[in-house]
Amino acid sequence: MKKLFVLNGGAAVKPGNKSAFLKIDDPLSTFARGGINTGDVLVYDAMLKALAYDQITNVQFAHAADEKLWPKDDYDATVIRGSNYLTETVDIGNVIPLLKKLKGPIVPVGVGAQAAKYKKLELPKGSVEAWKIIADKCETIGVRGVYSAEVFNDIGIKNIRIIGCPSFYRNLRPSIEIKPLDPANARVGLTLNKYLSADYASNATKTNRMQRALIQAVAKRSANRLYSQGEREETLAIFETDEAKQKHIQSILNKYHLEGDKDVEALVSDRMQAFFDVDEWAADARDNVDVLVGFRLHGNVIGLHQGIPAVFFTYDSRIRELSTLFAIPSVEIEDYLPINLERIFESADFSKVQHVYRLNYAEYYRFLTENGLNHVLAKPVASPPEQALVKPNLVRVDQSVEDVTGWFRNEVDFMTGEIETLRSRAWNLELKLREKTAPDAKEKLAS
């Protein structure tokens, strides 16, 4: 029996060890406590489909210090499910005792750096030590892109393969064929991300304002749908009823300053989906959308691996390096221009995606093979790339003067209103502070 030990898998595994899902019996109580990123489940699911093991045991990083959870029996391999482990704010030093104890190779699959912009990272000491232990216990570490490889290089780790994310290869095929797209009539699938700031947005204001514009554009087509990728309020809005449902819908509309927009309200209320089973999520995208757009990485990948075209909106290091690595058309939020879906789809160049995928797949195949992992990938039809792509495949849309002028006029009006609101709040806080520190402050101000 071939046994696999997984670190940070993060989901339940179906019989047969080929599919991952979230075991959620009561979505309302589960999501009342907080959101769950179903994109992580997609990554794990894609790894399971590629690897061939009869028995799988998982321990989360958060529980890695608990020796009772450490494997007692022998196992054939250890893998780490890829995620945003290279950050200045996450220290995985608590995993070090387990890493030292584990026998044989420890193979990370799709590790990535997370930052608002490409920059040199000052990783926590615990993380640096942990990754050096891991690097010494494997042939190569599989990373998401060029930036992640550079972060490892900065701490002296050089045995790296740039493989992207395993979710891109979920179909297990050495090539993909991107389906043709009718810009005027395509059914669009949208994913949102309500938590874009700090390490997750190079400019939070631009990112959220462009996300708002994208929501409005998608909502205008009645055949379009919205996918919740584990966001708390969105998921609750799907499973709640009556007043509770309306409360969550209004909260979502308020977040994006879209109160009173009936098209967006109908999109959120009637055409929003959430899936805890990756197979079901993939099937829904296959049957109901012709193109995917949005602000969640795996919200696009769920279609891309099936040949459904997708356009990324790039706002942080992770989205930028992965869309670049696979030559996927992307709209850069720093350009901060109006959104016209039809023109974006007309201008998006998918010609490179199929070719680049074949090269990256070959690198993924080589990575799994050289690390001694049992896998079921078909043999590549191309050779690995000589070097990874570093130039993004940006979508360039010809904008009319009227469109750009109108966009910025509306944005300036909004920003002016926000500034006035902030000034008013600041003044009210100042008055309260004065009242607290000087009881007779009102009298002094009046005199």
Side-chain angles (χ1 to χ4, degrees), residues 263-409:
D263 288 336
V264 175
E265 184 174 351
L267 176 68
V268 175
S269 177
D270 305 328
R271 305 197 305 278
M272 184 163 60
Q273 309 289 325
F275 295 95
F276 310 134
D277 183 305
V278 179
D279 290 335
E280 293 177 3
W281 181 14
D284 190 88
R286 179 197 65 213
D287 295 340
N288 294 290
V289 301
D290 303 308
V291 61
L292 286 153
V293 297
F295 285 71
R296 299 300 298 256
L297 168 65
H298 295 105
N300 282 346
V301 176
I302 196 69
L304 276 167
H305 79 264
Q306 304 183 84
I308 300 171
V311 176
F312 280 103
F313 283 73
T314 49
Y315 53 83
D316 69 355
S317 67
R318 178 183 64 152
I319 306 295
R320 290 185 178 107
E321 74 171 341
L322 275 167
S323 60
T324 297
L325 183 69
F326 287 90
I328 300 165
S330 59
V331 176
E332 174 54 57
I333 64 98
E334 294 291 353
D335 292 340
Y336 199 47
L337 290 170
I339 291 175
N340 182 305
L341 282 179
E342 189 168 340
R343 290 180 186 172
I344 287 174
F345 296 152
E346 289 171 347
S347 304
D349 179 10
F350 292 96
S351 62
K352 297 178 182 178
V353 176
Q354 296 176 162
H355 171 68
V356 172
Y357 173 89
R358 290 194 290 268
L359 306 183
N360 290 336
Y361 175 95
E363 187 75 336
Y364 185 50
Y365 182 98
R366 176 163 69 175
F367 163 76
L368 295 180
T369 303
E370 72 185 359
N371 280 287
L373 295 174
N374 297 309
H375 66 82
V376 297
L377 293 186
K379 289 186 177 180
V381 294
S383 299
E386 293 183 6
Q387 59 184 20
L389 293 182
V390 294
K391 184 178 180 180
N393 180 14
L394 295 177
V395 178
R396 301 296 187 187
V397 177
D398 291 331
Q399 304 276 4
S400 70
V401 174
E402 291 79 8
D403 287 344
V404 174
T405 302
W407 162 260
F408 280 109
R409 184 178 290 117

Side-chain angles (χ1 to χ4, degrees), residues 36-44 81-87 109-119 121 143-149 151 162-168 191-202 207 211 229 231 281 294-301 304 312-333 389-390 392:
I36 302 173
N37 183 5
T38 54
D40 290 340
V41 186
L42 172 56
V43 178
Y44 190 27
R81 190 260 305 165
S83 191
N84 305 328
Y85 301 132
L86 302 177
T87 79
V109 187
V111 176
Q114 182 64 54
K117 298 180 179 180
Y118 296 142
K119 65 175 184 177
L121 297 181
V143 301
R144 280 198 304 232
V146 173
Y147 175 56
S148 298
V151 172
I162 297 175
I163 63 170
C165 177
S167 58
F168 281 81
T191 54
L192 305 178
N193 192 335
K194 291 172 62 180
Y195 310 104
L196 296 174
S197 61
D199 287 344
Y200 289 86
S202 54
T207 303
Q211 189 167 209
Q229 200 175 300
E231 281 86 1
W281 181 14
F295 285 71
R296 299 300 298 256
L297 168 65
H298 295 105
N300 282 346
V301 176
L304 276 167
F312 280 103
F313 283 73
T314 49
Y315 53 83
D316 69 355
S317 67
R318 178 183 64 152
I319 306 295
R320 290 185 178 107
E321 74 171 341
L322 275 167
S323 60
T324 297
L325 183 69
F326 287 90
I328 300 165
S330 59
V331 176
E332 174 54 57
I333 64 98
L389 293 182
V390 294

